[in-house]
Amino acid sequence: MPQTFAFDIYGTLIDTAGVTRSLATMVGDQATLFSSRWRDKQLEYSFRRGLMRDYVDFSVCTRQALEFTSAQLNLPISDTAAQALLDEYRRLPAFVDVPTALQQLKSAGHRLYAFSNGLPDDLEALLETAGIRHAFVDIVSVHEIRTFKPDPAVYRHFLTRSGATADGCCLVSSNPFDLLGGKAIGMRTAWIRRSDANHFDPWDRRPDLTFASLSELQQAFSE
């Protein structure tokens, strides 16, 4: 039966490690560590902002996390280089399995939405550059209500915007914190576990489904 899917973007459909190649020209063999720390701090800042009710948009969290990571690792990056990295966040690549899986889900009659912490304009640019914008009915951004995942208000806002019910919607994410947020309001959840090194939080809630790739999810919903 056709249903609504809410797809997280960063880390689920779009490979945030795509900046590592650019970082390698700036910080050498520290690029992988730098990229990972930057991503972790970016999310930490969004969590803090959400709890404090002190909203700034996700691009600010991203920029401030970059500044912090550069200072913490003692790896100076020029203002010009920093801006180049921030610009690259608008043109990161999709994971290789994503375009075909999304197209097949859409062709099967499912309603696909992009659902993200990112700014609407940034997400439009990102998905267009990755060649997958056409797969989505719409983009739902947390910016519309000025808070961040996993605030329950974000997931309720998605249901309002999409017209879906919690039990008729599947939240797809590689981020456990995101899935726990959706689960808290009764959404169905599918974890994309892209690496065996990824582990789910040992809470009393688990994802309804777990897949190693988007291709596996697509196959499961095409049977």
Side-chain angles (χ1 to χ4, degrees):
M1 180 182 297
Q3 62 181 276
T4 300
F5 284 89
F7 283 95
D8 175 61
I9 303 303
Y10 296 103
T12 302
L13 303 183
I14 298 295
D15 186 3
T16 57
V19 295
T20 305
R21 289 185 294 275
S22 295
L23 279 166
T25 67
M26 303 173 191
V27 299
D29 60 6
Q30 297 296 300
T32 299
L33 174 62
F34 194 110
S35 178
S36 176
R37 292 278 182 90
W38 182 13
R39 171 65 172 162
D40 288 346
K41 205 68 182 179
Q42 175 198 53
L43 290 175
E44 180 189 332
Y45 283 171
S46 71
F47 297 158
R48 289 194 206 174
R49 294 282 187 177
L51 286 168
M52 295 166 63
R53 297 291 185 261
D54 184 21
Y55 180 81
V56 296
D57 71 62
F58 199 55
S59 67
V60 176
C61 295
T62 304
R63 175 177 54 77
Q64 292 177 340
L66 174 59
E67 293 175 8
F68 179 89
T69 303
S70 176
Q72 184 188 51
L73 296 180
N74 194 25
L75 294 168
I77 292 177
S78 70
D79 291 344
T80 300
Q83 188 57 55
L85 289 171
L86 294 170
D87 290 343
E88 188 161 354
Y89 245 88
R90 292 167 58 91
R91 54 178 187 268
L92 291 167
F95 287 103
V96 67
D97 59 323
V98 167
T100 298
L102 291 179
Q103 186 56 52
Q104 291 179 347
L105 285 167
K106 181 180 179 181
S107 297
H110 299 296
R111 300 168 68 236
L112 313 184
Y113 286 82
F115 177 41
S116 176
N117 278 336
L119 282 168
D121 288 349
D122 288 349
L123 296 170
E124 287 281 359
L126 182 65
L127 298 178
E128 284 287 356
T129 301
I132 57 176
R133 174 62 181 91
H134 66 281
F136 298 103
V137 174
D138 202 356
I139 294 172
V140 179
S141 167
V142 304
H143 186 63
E144 296 162 14
I145 60 169
R146 305 299 197 272
T147 186
F148 290 106
K149 298 177 178 182
D151 187 333
V154 169
Y155 304 94
R156 295 191 184 101
H157 176 68
F158 175 84
L159 297 178
T160 298
R161 285 270 275 105
S162 66
T165 60
D167 61 358
C169 177
C170 185
L171 172 64
V172 182
S173 182
S174 64
N175 300 301
F177 74 86
D178 191 12
L179 298 170
L180 288 167
K183 264 311 240 192
I185 69 153
M187 295 176 79
R188 298 180 65 198
T189 55
W191 183 29
I192 306 302
R193 188 186 186 195
R194 293 194 172 277
S195 168
D196 289 341
N198 297 338
H199 298 280
F200 206 84
D201 298 291
W203 289 24
D204 59 349
R205 300 186 183 106
R206 301 293 298 175
D208 296 295
L209 301 165
T210 299
F211 303 102
S213 69
L214 214 65
S215 299
E216 287 188 5
L217 178 141
Q218 177 268 314
Q219 292 166 9
F221 283 91
S222 298
E223 295 176 353

